[in-house]
């Protein structure tokens, strides 16, 4: 492969396949590879244009008769801490999130498998092996990191590390204007903690501490119960034909 081919993105279109979010619909995606020295800047540019990253691939829905998938991002500086969000943060104040670099472990994979089997048994990732998981974490040419969540330990104030079993994990990209949650998973037995919500709230706080204005949440799909939770994090901007626009009333 020539240097020109690696540095100049080539876009491809997938064949139609059943939509995982809307019953009876079919999806197509346009995608390109994120490789080479310009991968990070290309990922930044494409995320602003509504793409998502999966390993070394950036993709965006390109369905012929449906526009239900809408890219959304949370406005960090004006974020509304509702009573429910404040309760979640207070309840999980015994947790600490530690950035560990791109280091896949058997403990992470065990939690990942439990999460998939209990929460997404019919999803497209359910057959992922431990090698597939390691590739998902390690195969990246962009600025990304992994955050592990555990209970606070006796030495947390000193070393910043938690203790005890792993409760949640988040794979996160760092962009020029925000953080992008690529994928997260958590202990399905800790339902009272609301760990999925906690991970998002923690990254709102992380983005604010870094002086970044946005937290990218990927796609919200109108009509899909799986995606309803994303609308709770406000104010929010969505990507339309005219660019990023704040939702009315927010």
């Amino acid at each position: 492969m020539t240097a020109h081919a690696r540095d100049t993105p080539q876009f491809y279109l997938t064949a139609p396949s059943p939509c995982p979010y809307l019953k009876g619909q079919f999806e197509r995606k346009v995608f390109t590879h994120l490789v080479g020295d310009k991968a990070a800047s290309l990922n930044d540019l494409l995320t602003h244009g509504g793409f998502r990253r999966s390993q070394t691939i950036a993709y965006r829905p390109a369905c012929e008769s449906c526009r239900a998938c809408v890219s959304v991002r949370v406005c960090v500086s004006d974020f509304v801490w509702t009573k429910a969000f404040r309760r979640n943060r207070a309840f999980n104040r015994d947790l600490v999130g530690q950035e560990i670099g791109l280091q896949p472990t058997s403990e992470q994979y065990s939690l990942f498998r439990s999460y998939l089997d209990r929460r997404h048994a019919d999803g497209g990732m359910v057959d992922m092996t431990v090698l597939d998981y390691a590739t998902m974490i390690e195969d990246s040419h962009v600025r990304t990191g992994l955050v592990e969540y555990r209970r606070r330990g006796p030495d947390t104030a000193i070393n910043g590390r938690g203790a005890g079993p792993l409760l949640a994990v988040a794979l996160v990209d760092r962009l020029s204007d925000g953080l992008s949650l690529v994928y997260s998973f958590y202990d399905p037995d800790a339902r009272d903690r609301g760990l999925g919500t906690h991970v998002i709230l923690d990254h709102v706080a992380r983005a604010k501490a870094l002086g970044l204005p946005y937290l990218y949440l990927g796609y919200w799909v109108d009509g899909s119960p799986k995606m309803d939770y994303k609308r709770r994090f406000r104010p929010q901007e969505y990507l339309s034909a005219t660019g990023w626009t704040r939702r009315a009333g927010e």
Side-chain angles (χ1 to χ4, degrees), residues 2 9 61 64 93 204-205 208 226 229-230 246:
T2 66
E64 296 176 0
R93 62 182 177 273
V204 168
K208 186 173 184 178
K226 293 180 181 179
Y229 74 93
K230 294 185 180 182
R246 186 172 292 205

Side-chain angles (χ1 to χ4, degrees), residues 147-160:
V147 180
E148 289 188 340
Y149 294 85
R150 304 176 191 270
R151 289 184 176 88
R152 294 183 181 275
D155 298 325
T156 296
I158 299 173
N159 57 32

Side-chain angles (χ1 to χ4, degrees), residues 120-142:
H120 300 284
D122 59 346
M125 303 174 74
V126 71
D127 293 327
M128 287 180 65
T129 66
V130 64
L131 180 59
D132 295 329
Y133 173 77
T135 301
M136 180 179 77
I137 300 301
E138 295 177 327
D139 196 6
S140 173
H141 292 248
V142 305

